[in-house]
Amino acid sequence: MTTHARATAPAILADEINGTIRTVLAALPCADTVEGLLSGLKDHINKLLPVVEGKDWAQCRQDGMVGLMTDVVRDKLSHEPADLAARCVYAQELARVCHGLLGLALTEPGDEQWHPATSQ
């Protein structure tokens, strides 16, 4: 575990983040709740990104893949739809993004199990 990840990992509130994700994915958010949900998801994502990026992914040759993922996340955050219906769908997209980032934030580089059939 890197020093940076060790220092920031306790700040991750996995239960709170998972609760937001479950709420958003349980049903398409409605007009009355979507803005609050989007705000919460963006806050979670902005807290998770530095944790993920602070890990030494190069040690297991995953830096390129993780870097690409974080670039895509930032691009998605910078292209919010204006239409209300699209924002409801966008909230579900951000929930899935948040889920992936949480997984990376809670995993240390190299913790995966490599199997001969998948490590080509």
Side-chain angles (χ1 to χ4, degrees):
M1 185 183 305
T2 65
T3 304
H4 182 69
R6 189 174 284 137
T8 56
I12 297 173
L13 302 173
D15 290 340
E16 179 183 334
I17 294 170
N18 278 320
T20 303
I21 292 167
R22 278 192 299 274
T23 298
V24 174
L25 294 179
L28 191 64
C30 65
D32 295 341
T33 62
V34 71
E35 296 307 322
L37 292 169
L38 281 171
S39 177
L41 287 165
K42 289 185 278 186
D43 184 55
H44 293 323
I45 290 168
N46 285 319
K47 287 179 183 173
L48 290 169
L49 277 169
V51 174
V52 171
E53 293 173 327
K55 296 184 180 199
D56 183 12
W57 297 103
Q59 74 176 339
C60 56
R61 297 184 313 237
Q62 293 179 322
D63 51 324
M65 179 180 60
V66 173
L68 178 62
M69 181 181 177
T70 57
D71 288 346
V72 168
V73 169
R74 283 197 170 77
D75 184 62
K76 179 150 297 281
L77 288 174
S78 68
H79 291 93
E80 287 189 47
D83 177 73
L84 180 60
R87 290 180 71 72
C88 294
V89 173
Y90 179 69
Q92 290 193 320
E93 292 172 3
L94 286 188
R96 290 180 182 92
V97 164
C98 194
H99 183 262
L101 284 175
L102 180 60
L104 289 173
L106 297 175
T107 302
E108 290 307 313
D111 281 354
E112 310 80 24
Q113 294 295 318
W114 292 97
H115 300 283
T118 61
S119 61
Q120 297 179 356

